[in-house]
Amino acid sequence: MAVERKLPNLAPERYAEIFRWLRETIPALSSSWTDYNASDPGITLLQLFAFIADGTSYRIDRVPAAAYRNFALLAAGTPEQGLEETLQEAEQDVLTDADDFPLELAGNVVLRDPSYVELLRALRSSSGRKNPDPADLYTALSRLWRSPYRAITEQDFAELALECSASVSEAASRAERAIVRKRGESVEVTIVSGAKLSYAMGGPSVADSSNCLASIYDFYDPLTDSNYYDKYADLMNVIGQYLAPRCLIGTSVSVVRPQFDPTRVVVTVAVLVTKTPANSDPSIIDTNPTSVLRRAWERITALLDPLIGGLSGQGYPYRRPLTSEDMASALQGVDGLDASQPVRVYIERMTGLRVGKASVGQTTVVLRSARDLGFPWLVSLSLQAVTSAYGMLVGASRIGKDTMVAKVGGT
């Protein structure tokens, strides 16, 4: 993620703002001072004070670049002459395994204090310049100060877990999200890597029913059988080694990979039935039922993304089961849906069950407890576009297949 290198404005006030503030405080200090004209001697003094304050503020905000550099050297704890030696020592201070071999992520060694090394590198790059840019030093200093060294709070653990692999370019070997749960003296850190999770949408089929216009019915393999977890072993090991010396005495930390709950979802939506002209304007919304279902499918799969999903767009909440309310909220505003009719959602969480082909089209064995929640993962997604969603949804456990039974005669 790119960081904006910009120095703070230490004194944004100017003469007009300072003078106006001084004049507006007069009634609070004196009830007998009523002449605010420029001819009043007191107003003249306030104008003089505002002029002096404006000049002083201007000089405060013009800190020389050399002053920034000297302060950065002080924060780094090294003189100018020993900068190169200090940097070499910091770059050699890396995480190692039990045999004292450097630990690596995607071919990169993992520094024990990356924010400190970044500051030293910024100092070296500005060394010898006639007019060094203090913005780079300010950015490195800010990251050093804001990065906690000791892991105490849940936020500390999360920030340090992400900091450990932030410089790794390969997404699958980099932690993008950390979920922390404290249980007494033990801390569990669940790491979500940047490995891409995606669903492949099958082709919508046009139904011949008078009420059902189109449908999508897809099956997906459980993540336990995929290569999603390939890079997690190294990532968990490195983050665990990174956090261990930063914990308080008596605190144990475990780094784990995320769990995914196999979930079966059936969604029925009402679509707006309109005729689209043959040579339609591209700005006209395509209300073809198959196109509407494709848009609904994209909204549902985006909702479940661990990194950018959820209703807030910050990642689907961990250990929260998928609800029909979440699905209905995600589908709000989909072009072509009839907002005046309800969204029918059927959700079956399959954790803790031995699921056969008769239910999801494949053999799935889930050994975890049904109370051990994770991220929802679709093993079966059925979308139906109908003309009327007012009716009763009958599940596969009742009649062997999913059926929408529409009300007859408005009853």
Side-chain angles (χ1 to χ4, degrees), residues 115 138-149 156 159 163:
S115 56
Y138 172 76
T139 302
L141 276 170
S142 298
R143 185 174 287 113
L144 177 66
W145 290 334
R146 293 170 184 170
S147 172
Y149 181 83
D156 292 341
E159 290 181 2
E163 175 187 270

Side-chain angles (χ1 to χ4, degrees), residues 222-245:
L223 284 181
T224 52
D225 299 333
S226 74
N227 57 2
Y228 174 73
Y229 290 123
D230 285 352
K231 305 290 185 179
Y232 266 93
D234 292 340
L235 186 59
M236 292 188 298
N237 181 37
V238 166
I239 293 178
Q241 296 282 353
Y242 190 78
L243 292 176

Side-chain angles (χ1 to χ4, degrees), residues 8 71 76 137 167 194 342 365 399 410:
F71 187 78
L137 294 176
S167 60
V365 179
I399 60 174

Side-chain angles (χ1 to χ4, degrees), residues 103-110 164-165 168 173 231 234-235 238-239:
L103 294 176
E104 294 185 353
L105 285 177
N108 301 313
V109 296
V110 181
C164 172
S165 61
V168 178
S173 299
K231 305 290 185 179
D234 292 340
L235 186 59
V238 166
I239 293 178

